[in-house]
Amino acid sequence: MKRSPLADVAWNYMSAQILNDAAELEIADRLAHGAQSSIELAAATGTHAPSLRRLLRALTALGVLEQCDADRFALTDLGAQLRKDAPDTVRDVVRFLCSEGAWSSWGDSLHSLRTGETAFEHNYGMQAFEYLGQHPEEAAKLNGAMGRMTGETAAGIIAGYDFSQFSTIVDVGGGNGTFLAEILRSAKDSKGIVFDMPTGVTDAAATLGAAGVADRADVVDGSFFASVPSGADAYVLKLVLHDWDDDRCLRILENVRQAIAPEGRLLVFERAVPEVVTAEHRRALLADLLMLVLTGGKERTVTEYRALFESAGFTLDTATGPLGDLGFTRLEATPA
Ligand SMILES: C[S@@+](CC[C@H](N)C(=O)[O-])C[C@H]1O[C@@H](n2cnc3c(N)ncnc32)[C@H](O)[C@@H]1O
């Protein structure tokens, strides 16, 4: 009998947890300056040395570490991406996707499939972003993960689009400012505002400063369910609407509609899915289920976005994509 790739898929959840253990124990950071033994690492991490050695060997199998001799382990180039200070760090991506909230929600995904409710709310008794608002250390994982994923894809997503036509661009739910920073670097005379909940914007000023655009950017905190900064001529929503069900999307869009200048433009960046999907939509379809179990949102078709926009008083003018290697769509709309 041949080995089944489906069995490999089932085994893979262990790899994710192994990476998360390494990230939480800061193994990569501790090995940044040279190989160490499991005994040294166990002393530094407060773990049981023989058990930790088993984790280190599994990390070797995943290509994160290299075993130098019976009990010395060194970091590989790939493993260096788990370092906190690596420019291409994936530490927060791992920590967010394997966080207690995400992990337990996936563990309870049958609840979502049976009821349509988020497993997160079933387990925690509140919506995921409300929980993040009360748990800054968990919000920091999401912010770091989004910053990393947006940093990877932003240049490809905005390439060829002229943001310099706008005088003020508000990135609604703009998180740590990575996307707005990339936009403002491409539009040298435009100003921008990152708007997000207080736990979302904690690192935004630093990101904008590091990108050299802080003099043209403000950071404003608040809830987009209450209002968004008014009077700008461009409002960006990237990976925000997919977090929410239709009713909540409408509330966000209606608040943008109230705030936007009469000639303004709404720019929504999402991984719009077609009616008939294939394996090439894998990432969007995994994210779709992540939204089902975690936040109550979903990945939508262009037709679904058009209907949402119309209900909120916008006309969808163009849908352009796929953009970047994760297949984003730019949906441009104007006040109806
Ligand atoms: C999936 S992240 C997208 C972040 C960013 N736009 C990006 O693409 O990297 C969703 C963002 O919505 C923010 N958010 C959630 N609820 C919010 C609220 N009520 N008001 C403002 N921002 C909120 C979160 O803090 C988070 O930064």
Side-chain angles (χ1 to χ4, degrees), residues 127 129 132 142-143 146-147 149-150 171-176 178-179 195-197 199-201 222-225 237-240 242-244 291 328:
Q127 205 277 337
F129 283 107
L132 292 184
L142 171 70
N143 298 339
M146 290 313 304
M149 293 191 277
T150 297
D171 191 358
V172 177
N176 79 353
T178 301
F179 197 52
F195 178 77
D196 205 294
M197 51 199 272
T199 47
V201 290
S223 171
F224 46 46
F225 293 119
L237 285 165
K238 176 173 163 291
L239 292 182
V240 168
H242 85 151
D243 286 336
W244 302 100
M291 298 309 130
F328 273 80

PDB file of all heavy atoms in Angstrom, residues 127 129 132 142-143 146-147 149-150 171-176 178-179 195-197 199-201 222-225 237-240 242-244 291 328, ligand 1:
ATOM      1  N   GLN A 127     -16.708  37.704  21.481  1.00  0.00           N
ATOM      2  CA  GLN A 127     -16.143  37.749  20.134  1.00  0.00           C
ATOM      3  C   GLN A 127     -14.611  37.851  20.226  1.00  0.00           C
ATOM      4  O   GLN A 127     -14.071  38.434  21.172  1.00  0.00           O
ATOM      5  CB  GLN A 127     -16.739  38.966  19.398  1.00  0.00           C
ATOM      6  CG  GLN A 127     -16.752  38.846  17.886  1.00  0.00           C
ATOM      7  CD  GLN A 127     -15.424  39.239  17.266  1.00  0.00           C
ATOM      8  OE1 GLN A 127     -14.655  39.979  17.859  1.00  0.00           O
ATOM      9  NE2 GLN A 127     -15.172  38.734  16.061  1.00  0.00           N
ATOM     10  N   PHE A 129     -12.231  39.582  18.714  1.00  0.00           N
ATOM     11  CA  PHE A 129     -11.548  40.877  18.819  1.00  0.00           C
ATOM     12  C   PHE A 129     -11.846  41.564  20.152  1.00  0.00           C
ATOM     13  O   PHE A 129     -11.021  42.324  20.662  1.00  0.00           O
ATOM     14  CB  PHE A 129     -11.905  41.783  17.633  1.00  0.00           C
ATOM     15  CG  PHE A 129     -11.164  41.390  16.379  1.00  0.00           C
ATOM     16  CD1 PHE A 129     -11.816  40.754  15.339  1.00  0.00           C
ATOM     17  CD2 PHE A 129      -9.803  41.631  16.262  1.00  0.00           C
ATOM     18  CE1 PHE A 129     -11.132  40.374  14.188  1.00  0.00           C
ATOM     19  CE2 PHE A 129      -9.105  41.252  15.118  1.00  0.00           C
ATOM     20  CZ  PHE A 129      -9.772  40.624  14.080  1.00  0.00           C
ATOM     21  N   LEU A 132      -9.338  40.019  22.291  1.00  0.00           N
ATOM     22  CA  LEU A 132      -8.000  40.585  22.053  1.00  0.00           C
ATOM     23  C   LEU A 132      -7.882  41.968  22.691  1.00  0.00           C
ATOM     24  O   LEU A 132      -6.821  42.335  23.207  1.00  0.00           O
ATOM     25  CB  LEU A 132      -7.707  40.674  20.550  1.00  0.00           C
ATOM     26  CG  LEU A 132      -7.540  39.336  19.813  1.00  0.00           C
ATOM     27  CD1 LEU A 132      -7.152  39.581  18.355  1.00  0.00           C
ATOM     28  CD2 LEU A 132      -6.498  38.442  20.478  1.00  0.00           C
ATOM     29  N   LEU A 142      -1.336  38.695  17.127  1.00  0.00           N
ATOM     30  CA  LEU A 142      -2.040  38.993  15.864  1.00  0.00           C
ATOM     31  C   LEU A 142      -1.346  40.144  15.144  1.00  0.00           C
ATOM     32  O   LEU A 142      -1.100  40.072  13.931  1.00  0.00           O
ATOM     33  CB  LEU A 142      -3.507  39.361  16.121  1.00  0.00           C
ATOM     34  CG  LEU A 142      -4.231  39.888  14.871  1.00  0.00           C
ATOM     35  CD1 LEU A 142      -4.452  38.768  13.857  1.00  0.00           C
ATOM     36  CD2 LEU A 142      -5.559  40.541  15.206  1.00  0.00           C
ATOM     37  N   ASN A 143      -1.003  41.197  15.890  1.00  0.00           N
ATOM     38  CA  ASN A 143      -0.370  42.360  15.249  1.00  0.00           C
ATOM     39  C   ASN A 143       0.941  41.962  14.581  1.00  0.00           C
ATOM     40  O   ASN A 143       1.228  42.370  13.453  1.00  0.00           O
ATOM     41  CB  ASN A 143      -0.087  43.461  16.282  1.00  0.00           C
ATOM     42  CG  ASN A 143      -1.359  43.986  16.916  1.00  0.00           C
ATOM     43  OD1 ASN A 143      -2.439  43.837  16.357  1.00  0.00           O
ATOM     44  ND2 ASN A 143      -1.236  44.586  18.088  1.00  0.00           N
ATOM     45  N   MET A 146       0.152  39.783  11.490  1.00  0.00           N
ATOM     46  CA  MET A 146      -0.370  40.559  10.360  1.00  0.00           C
ATOM     47  C   MET A 146       0.730  41.434   9.769  1.00  0.00           C
ATOM     48  O   MET A 146       0.822  41.594   8.556  1.00  0.00           O
ATOM     49  CB  MET A 146      -1.554  41.430  10.799  1.00  0.00           C
ATOM     50  CG  MET A 146      -2.821  40.670  11.139  1.00  0.00           C
ATOM     51  SD  MET A 146      -3.320  39.419   9.942  1.00  0.00           S
ATOM     52  CE  MET A 146      -3.421  40.362   8.436  1.00  0.00           C
ATOM     53  N   GLY A 147       1.556  42.016  10.644  1.00  0.00           N
ATOM     54  CA  GLY A 147       2.658  42.849  10.154  1.00  0.00           C
ATOM     55  C   GLY A 147       3.577  42.037   9.254  1.00  0.00           C
ATOM     56  O   GLY A 147       3.993  42.491   8.182  1.00  0.00           O
ATOM     57  N   MET A 149       2.828  39.165   7.603  1.00  0.00           N
ATOM     58  CA  MET A 149       2.170  38.711   6.378  1.00  0.00           C
ATOM     59  C   MET A 149       1.945  39.890   5.427  1.00  0.00           C
ATOM     60  O   MET A 149       2.098  39.762   4.215  1.00  0.00           O
ATOM     61  CB  MET A 149       0.861  37.993   6.709  1.00  0.00           C
ATOM     62  CG  MET A 149       1.137  36.682   7.455  1.00  0.00           C
ATOM     63  SD  MET A 149      -0.300  35.613   7.625  1.00  0.00           S
ATOM     64  CE  MET A 149      -1.122  36.273   9.034  1.00  0.00           C
ATOM     65  N   THR A 150       1.613  41.044   5.997  1.00  0.00           N
ATOM     66  CA  THR A 150       1.398  42.225   5.158  1.00  0.00           C
ATOM     67  C   THR A 150       2.726  42.722   4.597  1.00  0.00           C
ATOM     68  O   THR A 150       2.800  43.127   3.434  1.00  0.00           O
ATOM     69  CB  THR A 150       0.680  43.322   5.969  1.00  0.00           C
ATOM     70  OG1 THR A 150      -0.597  42.800   6.331  1.00  0.00           O
ATOM     71  CG2 THR A 150       0.478  44.590   5.171  1.00  0.00           C
ATOM     72  N   ASP A 171      -6.193  54.106   6.639  1.00  0.00           N
ATOM     73  CA  ASP A 171      -6.184  52.641   6.625  1.00  0.00           C
ATOM     74  C   ASP A 171      -7.001  52.181   7.834  1.00  0.00           C
ATOM     75  O   ASP A 171      -6.536  52.217   8.974  1.00  0.00           O
ATOM     76  CB  ASP A 171      -4.749  52.103   6.672  1.00  0.00           C
ATOM     77  CG  ASP A 171      -4.705  50.600   6.393  1.00  0.00           C
ATOM     78  OD1 ASP A 171      -5.784  49.993   6.211  1.00  0.00           O
ATOM     79  OD2 ASP A 171      -3.593  50.036   6.368  1.00  0.00           O
ATOM     80  N   VAL A 172      -8.236  51.791   7.562  1.00  0.00           N
ATOM     81  CA  VAL A 172      -9.186  51.428   8.622  1.00  0.00           C
ATOM     82  C   VAL A 172      -8.914  49.976   9.042  1.00  0.00           C
ATOM     83  O   VAL A 172      -8.924  49.079   8.205  1.00  0.00           O
ATOM     84  CB  VAL A 172     -10.636  51.573   8.103  1.00  0.00           C
ATOM     85  CG1 VAL A 172     -11.631  51.128   9.170  1.00  0.00           C
ATOM     86  CG2 VAL A 172     -10.904  53.008   7.670  1.00  0.00           C
ATOM     87  N   GLY A 173      -8.656  49.776  10.334  1.00  0.00           N
ATOM     88  CA  GLY A 173      -8.228  48.446  10.783  1.00  0.00           C
ATOM     89  C   GLY A 173      -6.826  48.180  10.267  1.00  0.00           C
ATOM     90  O   GLY A 173      -6.481  47.061   9.902  1.00  0.00           O
ATOM     91  N   GLY A 174      -6.016  49.240  10.259  1.00  0.00           N
ATOM     92  CA  GLY A 174      -4.682  49.186   9.633  1.00  0.00           C
ATOM     93  C   GLY A 174      -3.613  48.560  10.506  1.00  0.00           C
ATOM     94  O   GLY A 174      -2.443  48.512  10.116  1.00  0.00           O
ATOM     95  N   GLY A 175      -3.986  48.096  11.698  1.00  0.00           N
ATOM     96  CA  GLY A 175      -3.059  47.335  12.539  1.00  0.00           C
ATOM     97  C   GLY A 175      -1.780  48.087  12.838  1.00  0.00           C
ATOM     98  O   GLY A 175      -1.809  49.260  13.222  1.00  0.00           O
ATOM     99  N   ASN A 176      -0.644  47.430  12.651  1.00  0.00           N
ATOM    100  CA  ASN A 176       0.622  48.050  13.063  1.00  0.00           C
ATOM    101  C   ASN A 176       1.199  48.988  12.005  1.00  0.00           C
ATOM    102  O   ASN A 176       2.346  49.397  12.107  1.00  0.00           O
ATOM    103  CB  ASN A 176       1.643  46.994  13.498  1.00  0.00           C
ATOM    104  CG  ASN A 176       2.309  46.319  12.318  1.00  0.00           C
ATOM    105  OD1 ASN A 176       1.934  46.533  11.168  1.00  0.00           O
ATOM    106  ND2 ASN A 176       3.297  45.498  12.600  1.00  0.00           N
ATOM    107  N   THR A 178       1.913  48.613   8.784  1.00  0.00           N
ATOM    108  CA  THR A 178       2.800  48.106   7.726  1.00  0.00           C
ATOM    109  C   THR A 178       2.278  48.460   6.336  1.00  0.00           C
ATOM    110  O   THR A 178       3.040  48.883   5.461  1.00  0.00           O
ATOM    111  CB  THR A 178       2.947  46.570   7.852  1.00  0.00           C
ATOM    112  OG1 THR A 178       3.471  46.281   9.144  1.00  0.00           O
ATOM    113  CG2 THR A 178       3.876  46.008   6.794  1.00  0.00           C
ATOM    114  N   PHE A 179       0.962  48.312   6.125  1.00  0.00           N
ATOM    115  CA  PHE A 179       0.405  48.549   4.787  1.00  0.00           C
ATOM    116  C   PHE A 179       0.426  50.040   4.460  1.00  0.00           C
ATOM    117  O   PHE A 179       0.833  50.442   3.371  1.00  0.00           O
ATOM    118  CB  PHE A 179      -1.018  47.979   4.716  1.00  0.00           C
ATOM    119  CG  PHE A 179      -1.529  47.791   3.307  1.00  0.00           C
ATOM    120  CD1 PHE A 179      -0.799  47.084   2.370  1.00  0.00           C
ATOM    121  CD2 PHE A 179      -2.756  48.312   2.921  1.00  0.00           C
ATOM    122  CE1 PHE A 179      -1.267  46.898   1.065  1.00  0.00           C
ATOM    123  CE2 PHE A 179      -3.240  48.133   1.627  1.00  0.00           C
ATOM    124  CZ  PHE A 179      -2.491  47.426   0.701  1.00  0.00           C
ATOM    125  N   PHE A 195      -5.904  53.711  11.499  1.00  0.00           N
ATOM    126  CA  PHE A 195      -6.986  53.692  12.485  1.00  0.00           C
ATOM    127  C   PHE A 195      -7.235  52.246  12.893  1.00  0.00           C
ATOM    128  O   PHE A 195      -7.433  51.367  12.045  1.00  0.00           O
ATOM    129  CB  PHE A 195      -8.253  54.290  11.857  1.00  0.00           C
ATOM    130  CG  PHE A 195      -9.440  54.268  12.780  1.00  0.00           C
ATOM    131  CD1 PHE A 195      -9.547  55.184  13.812  1.00  0.00           C
ATOM    132  CD2 PHE A 195     -10.441  53.319  12.629  1.00  0.00           C
ATOM    133  CE1 PHE A 195     -10.636  55.157  14.683  1.00  0.00           C
ATOM    134  CE2 PHE A 195     -11.532  53.284  13.489  1.00  0.00           C
ATOM    135  CZ  PHE A 195     -11.630  54.210  14.522  1.00  0.00           C
ATOM    136  N   ASP A 196      -7.228  51.995  14.194  1.00  0.00           N
ATOM    137  CA  ASP A 196      -7.449  50.625  14.673  1.00  0.00           C
ATOM    138  C   ASP A 196      -7.806  50.704  16.149  1.00  0.00           C
ATOM    139  O   ASP A 196      -7.726  51.778  16.769  1.00  0.00           O
ATOM    140  CB  ASP A 196      -6.166  49.778  14.475  1.00  0.00           C
ATOM    141  CG  ASP A 196      -6.449  48.272  14.368  1.00  0.00           C
ATOM    142  OD1 ASP A 196      -6.900  47.678  15.375  1.00  0.00           O
ATOM    143  OD2 ASP A 196      -6.232  47.702  13.295  1.00  0.00           O
ATOM    144  N   MET A 197      -8.192  49.573  16.717  1.00  0.00           N
ATOM    145  CA  MET A 197      -8.504  49.559  18.142  1.00  0.00           C
ATOM    146  C   MET A 197      -7.204  49.772  18.940  1.00  0.00           C
ATOM    147  O   MET A 197      -6.103  49.555  18.404  1.00  0.00           O
ATOM    148  CB  MET A 197      -9.216  48.259  18.530  1.00  0.00           C
ATOM    149  CG  MET A 197      -8.545  46.990  18.093  1.00  0.00           C
ATOM    150  SD  MET A 197      -9.692  45.584  18.103  1.00  0.00           S
ATOM    151  CE  MET A 197      -9.506  45.036  19.782  1.00  0.00           C
ATOM    152  N   THR A 199      -5.482  48.193  21.126  1.00  0.00           N
ATOM    153  CA  THR A 199      -4.487  47.109  21.149  1.00  0.00           C
ATOM    154  C   THR A 199      -3.943  46.815  19.755  1.00  0.00           C
ATOM    155  O   THR A 199      -2.941  46.117  19.620  1.00  0.00           O
ATOM    156  CB  THR A 199      -5.093  45.811  21.723  1.00  0.00           C
ATOM    157  OG1 THR A 199      -6.358  45.583  21.090  1.00  0.00           O
ATOM    158  CG2 THR A 199      -5.266  45.878  23.220  1.00  0.00           C
ATOM    159  N   GLY A 200      -4.602  47.344  18.708  1.00  0.00           N
ATOM    160  CA  GLY A 200      -4.129  47.106  17.338  1.00  0.00           C
ATOM    161  C   GLY A 200      -3.021  48.053  16.924  1.00  0.00           C
ATOM    162  O   GLY A 200      -2.156  47.697  16.122  1.00  0.00           O
ATOM    163  N   VAL A 201      -3.035  49.283  17.461  1.00  0.00           N
ATOM    164  CA  VAL A 201      -2.099  50.307  16.963  1.00  0.00           C
ATOM    165  C   VAL A 201      -0.857  50.478  17.837  1.00  0.00           C
ATOM    166  O   VAL A 201      -0.074  51.402  17.614  1.00  0.00           O
ATOM    167  CB  VAL A 201      -2.779  51.697  16.820  1.00  0.00           C
ATOM    168  CG1 VAL A 201      -3.781  51.698  15.685  1.00  0.00           C
ATOM    169  CG2 VAL A 201      -3.416  52.149  18.126  1.00  0.00           C
ATOM    170  N   GLY A 222      -9.623  53.748  18.012  1.00  0.00           N
ATOM    171  CA  GLY A 222     -11.072  53.806  18.174  1.00  0.00           C
ATOM    172  C   GLY A 222     -11.674  52.554  17.585  1.00  0.00           C
ATOM    173  O   GLY A 222     -10.947  51.656  17.153  1.00  0.00           O
ATOM    174  N   SER A 223     -13.003  52.503  17.576  1.00  0.00           N
ATOM    175  CA  SER A 223     -13.672  51.336  17.006  1.00  0.00           C
ATOM    176  C   SER A 223     -14.386  51.722  15.724  1.00  0.00           C
ATOM    177  O   SER A 223     -15.165  52.680  15.707  1.00  0.00           O
ATOM    178  CB  SER A 223     -14.698  50.762  17.984  1.00  0.00           C
ATOM    179  OG  SER A 223     -15.465  49.766  17.322  1.00  0.00           O
ATOM    180  N   PHE A 224     -14.144  50.946  14.668  1.00  0.00           N
ATOM    181  CA  PHE A 224     -14.825  51.261  13.401  1.00  0.00           C
ATOM    182  C   PHE A 224     -16.317  50.956  13.469  1.00  0.00           C
ATOM    183  O   PHE A 224     -17.051  51.270  12.549  1.00  0.00           O
ATOM    184  CB  PHE A 224     -14.149  50.599  12.201  1.00  0.00           C
ATOM    185  CG  PHE A 224     -13.759  49.144  12.307  1.00  0.00           C
ATOM    186  CD1 PHE A 224     -14.618  48.186  12.812  1.00  0.00           C
ATOM    187  CD2 PHE A 224     -12.507  48.736  11.845  1.00  0.00           C
ATOM    188  CE1 PHE A 224     -14.254  46.845  12.872  1.00  0.00           C
ATOM    189  CE2 PHE A 224     -12.130  47.387  11.901  1.00  0.00           C
ATOM    190  CZ  PHE A 224     -13.008  46.442  12.415  1.00  0.00           C
ATOM    191  N   PHE A 225     -16.780  50.366  14.565  1.00  0.00           N
ATOM    192  CA  PHE A 225     -18.228  50.191  14.732  1.00  0.00           C
ATOM    193  C   PHE A 225     -18.872  51.473  15.267  1.00  0.00           C
ATOM    194  O   PHE A 225     -20.088  51.629  15.204  1.00  0.00           O
ATOM    195  CB  PHE A 225     -18.536  49.023  15.663  1.00  0.00           C
ATOM    196  CG  PHE A 225     -18.129  47.695  15.068  1.00  0.00           C
ATOM    197  CD1 PHE A 225     -17.197  46.893  15.693  1.00  0.00           C
ATOM    198  CD2 PHE A 225     -18.671  47.270  13.861  1.00  0.00           C
ATOM    199  CE1 PHE A 225     -16.817  45.686  15.132  1.00  0.00           C
ATOM    200  CE2 PHE A 225     -18.291  46.068  13.283  1.00  0.00           C
ATOM    201  CZ  PHE A 225     -17.361  45.271  13.919  1.00  0.00           C
ATOM    202  N   LEU A 237      -9.511  49.329   3.362  1.00  0.00           N
ATOM    203  CA  LEU A 237      -9.882  48.249   4.294  1.00  0.00           C
ATOM    204  C   LEU A 237      -9.190  46.995   3.777  1.00  0.00           C
ATOM    205  O   LEU A 237      -9.586  46.449   2.741  1.00  0.00           O
ATOM    206  CB  LEU A 237     -11.393  48.016   4.290  1.00  0.00           C
ATOM    207  CG  LEU A 237     -12.293  49.024   4.992  1.00  0.00           C
ATOM    208  CD1 LEU A 237     -13.746  48.817   4.560  1.00  0.00           C
ATOM    209  CD2 LEU A 237     -12.189  48.876   6.508  1.00  0.00           C
ATOM    210  N   LYS A 238      -8.125  46.582   4.455  1.00  0.00           N
ATOM    211  CA  LYS A 238      -7.424  45.379   3.982  1.00  0.00           C
ATOM    212  C   LYS A 238      -7.563  44.265   5.012  1.00  0.00           C
ATOM    213  O   LYS A 238      -7.207  44.442   6.181  1.00  0.00           O
ATOM    214  CB  LYS A 238      -5.943  45.674   3.743  1.00  0.00           C
ATOM    215  CG  LYS A 238      -5.172  44.424   3.354  1.00  0.00           C
ATOM    216  CD  LYS A 238      -3.751  44.735   2.956  1.00  0.00           C
ATOM    217  CE  LYS A 238      -2.908  43.493   2.986  1.00  0.00           C
ATOM    218  NZ  LYS A 238      -2.679  42.982   4.349  1.00  0.00           N
ATOM    219  N   LEU A 239      -8.105  43.162   4.569  1.00  0.00           N
ATOM    220  CA  LEU A 239      -8.334  42.000   5.440  1.00  0.00           C
ATOM    221  C   LEU A 239      -9.104  42.393   6.698  1.00  0.00           C
ATOM    222  O   LEU A 239      -8.804  41.931   7.797  1.00  0.00           O
ATOM    223  CB  LEU A 239      -7.005  41.315   5.806  1.00  0.00           C
ATOM    224  CG  LEU A 239      -6.288  40.613   4.656  1.00  0.00           C
ATOM    225  CD1 LEU A 239      -5.015  39.924   5.157  1.00  0.00           C
ATOM    226  CD2 LEU A 239      -7.176  39.584   3.964  1.00  0.00           C
ATOM    227  N   VAL A 240     -10.054  43.280   6.521  1.00  0.00           N
ATOM    228  CA  VAL A 240     -10.925  43.667   7.635  1.00  0.00           C
ATOM    229  C   VAL A 240     -12.317  43.069   7.423  1.00  0.00           C
ATOM    230  O   VAL A 240     -12.837  42.368   8.292  1.00  0.00           O
ATOM    231  CB  VAL A 240     -10.996  45.203   7.773  1.00  0.00           C
ATOM    232  CG1 VAL A 240     -12.115  45.619   8.715  1.00  0.00           C
ATOM    233  CG2 VAL A 240      -9.661  45.736   8.292  1.00  0.00           C
ATOM    234  N   HIS A 242     -13.260  40.582   5.800  1.00  0.00           N
ATOM    235  CA  HIS A 242     -13.333  39.112   5.878  1.00  0.00           C
ATOM    236  C   HIS A 242     -13.425  38.616   7.326  1.00  0.00           C
ATOM    237  O   HIS A 242     -13.746  37.463   7.558  1.00  0.00           O
ATOM    238  CB  HIS A 242     -12.160  38.453   5.122  1.00  0.00           C
ATOM    239  CG  HIS A 242     -10.897  38.318   5.898  1.00  0.00           C
ATOM    240  ND1 HIS A 242      -9.981  37.309   5.674  1.00  0.00           N
ATOM    241  CD2 HIS A 242     -10.377  39.063   6.908  1.00  0.00           C
ATOM    242  CE1 HIS A 242      -8.971  37.427   6.507  1.00  0.00           C
ATOM    243  NE2 HIS A 242      -9.179  38.477   7.262  1.00  0.00           N
ATOM    244  N   ASP A 243     -13.145  39.523   8.275  1.00  0.00           N
ATOM    245  CA  ASP A 243     -13.241  39.134   9.696  1.00  0.00           C
ATOM    246  C   ASP A 243     -14.682  39.088  10.203  1.00  0.00           C
ATOM    247  O   ASP A 243     -14.926  38.593  11.305  1.00  0.00           O
ATOM    248  CB  ASP A 243     -12.508  40.161  10.578  1.00  0.00           C
ATOM    249  CG  ASP A 243     -10.998  40.045  10.495  1.00  0.00           C
ATOM    250  OD1 ASP A 243     -10.498  38.957  10.164  1.00  0.00           O
ATOM    251  OD2 ASP A 243     -10.325  41.061  10.767  1.00  0.00           O
ATOM    252  N   TRP A 244     -15.622  39.679   9.426  1.00  0.00           N
ATOM    253  CA  TRP A 244     -16.937  39.950  10.017  1.00  0.00           C
ATOM    254  C   TRP A 244     -18.081  39.395   9.186  1.00  0.00           C
ATOM    255  O   TRP A 244     -17.964  39.252   7.966  1.00  0.00           O
ATOM    256  CB  TRP A 244     -17.122  41.472  10.181  1.00  0.00           C
ATOM    257  CG  TRP A 244     -16.045  42.073  11.036  1.00  0.00           C
ATOM    258  CD1 TRP A 244     -14.932  42.735  10.601  1.00  0.00           C
ATOM    259  CD2 TRP A 244     -15.950  42.018  12.468  1.00  0.00           C
ATOM    260  NE1 TRP A 244     -14.156  43.114  11.679  1.00  0.00           N
ATOM    261  CE2 TRP A 244     -14.752  42.682  12.833  1.00  0.00           C
ATOM    262  CE3 TRP A 244     -16.758  41.483  13.478  1.00  0.00           C
ATOM    263  CZ2 TRP A 244     -14.345  42.820  14.164  1.00  0.00           C
ATOM    264  CZ3 TRP A 244     -16.350  41.622  14.800  1.00  0.00           C
ATOM    265  CH2 TRP A 244     -15.164  42.283  15.132  1.00  0.00           C
ATOM    266  N   MET A 291     -11.860  32.028   9.724  1.00  0.00           N
ATOM    267  CA  MET A 291     -12.856  33.044  10.084  1.00  0.00           C
ATOM    268  C   MET A 291     -14.125  32.397  10.633  1.00  0.00           C
ATOM    269  O   MET A 291     -14.759  32.928  11.534  1.00  0.00           O
ATOM    270  CB  MET A 291     -13.222  33.900   8.864  1.00  0.00           C
ATOM    271  CG  MET A 291     -12.078  34.690   8.289  1.00  0.00           C
ATOM    272  SD  MET A 291     -11.225  35.648   9.541  1.00  0.00           S
ATOM    273  CE  MET A 291      -9.554  35.189   9.204  1.00  0.00           C
ATOM    274  N   PHE A 328      -4.604  38.612  -4.021  1.00  0.00           N
ATOM    275  CA  PHE A 328      -5.547  39.626  -3.518  1.00  0.00           C
ATOM    276  C   PHE A 328      -6.343  40.239  -4.661  1.00  0.00           C
ATOM    277  O   PHE A 328      -5.896  40.260  -5.810  1.00  0.00           O
ATOM    278  CB  PHE A 328      -4.787  40.742  -2.792  1.00  0.00           C
ATOM    279  CG  PHE A 328      -4.541  40.438  -1.340  1.00  0.00           C
ATOM    280  CD1 PHE A 328      -3.504  39.605  -0.957  1.00  0.00           C
ATOM    281  CD2 PHE A 328      -5.367  40.971  -0.362  1.00  0.00           C
ATOM    282  CE1 PHE A 328      -3.284  39.305   0.376  1.00  0.00           C
ATOM    283  CE2 PHE A 328      -5.158  40.677   0.971  1.00  0.00           C
ATOM    284  CZ  PHE A 328      -4.113  39.844   1.340  1.00  0.00           C
TER     285      PHE A 328
HETATM  286  C1  LIG B   1      -6.921  40.770  10.064  1.00  0.00           C
HETATM  287  S1  LIG B   1      -6.329  42.228  10.820  1.00  0.00           S
HETATM  288  C2  LIG B   1      -5.856  43.202   9.391  1.00  0.00           C
HETATM  289  C3  LIG B   1      -4.803  44.221   9.726  1.00  0.00           C
HETATM  290  C4  LIG B   1      -4.289  45.030   8.532  1.00  0.00           C
HETATM  291  N1  LIG B   1      -5.354  45.695   7.818  1.00  0.00           N
HETATM  292  C5  LIG B   1      -3.491  44.147   7.607  1.00  0.00           C
HETATM  293  O1  LIG B   1      -3.990  43.754   6.554  1.00  0.00           O
HETATM  294  O2  LIG B   1      -2.346  43.831   7.964  1.00  0.00           O
HETATM  295  C6  LIG B   1      -7.839  43.024  11.341  1.00  0.00           C
HETATM  296  C7  LIG B   1      -7.609  44.335  12.061  1.00  0.00           C
HETATM  297  O3  LIG B   1      -8.881  44.862  12.462  1.00  0.00           O
HETATM  298  C8  LIG B   1      -8.697  45.475  13.724  1.00  0.00           C
HETATM  299  N2  LIG B   1      -9.991  45.627  14.419  1.00  0.00           N
HETATM  300  C9  LIG B   1     -10.787  44.655  14.917  1.00  0.00           C
HETATM  301  N3  LIG B   1     -11.876  45.189  15.488  1.00  0.00           N
HETATM  302  C10 LIG B   1     -11.769  46.536  15.356  1.00  0.00           C
HETATM  303  C11 LIG B   1     -12.587  47.623  15.728  1.00  0.00           C
HETATM  304  N4  LIG B   1     -13.760  47.434  16.360  1.00  0.00           N
HETATM  305  N5  LIG B   1     -12.192  48.875  15.403  1.00  0.00           N
HETATM  306  C12 LIG B   1     -11.019  49.089  14.754  1.00  0.00           C
HETATM  307  N6  LIG B   1     -10.187  48.085  14.371  1.00  0.00           N
HETATM  308  C13 LIG B   1     -10.559  46.816  14.669  1.00  0.00           C
HETATM  309  C14 LIG B   1      -7.756  44.535  14.432  1.00  0.00           C
HETATM  310  O4  LIG B   1      -7.133  45.119  15.555  1.00  0.00           O
HETATM  311  C15 LIG B   1      -6.782  44.188  13.317  1.00  0.00           C
HETATM  312  O5  LIG B   1      -5.705  45.085  13.277  1.00  0.00           O
END
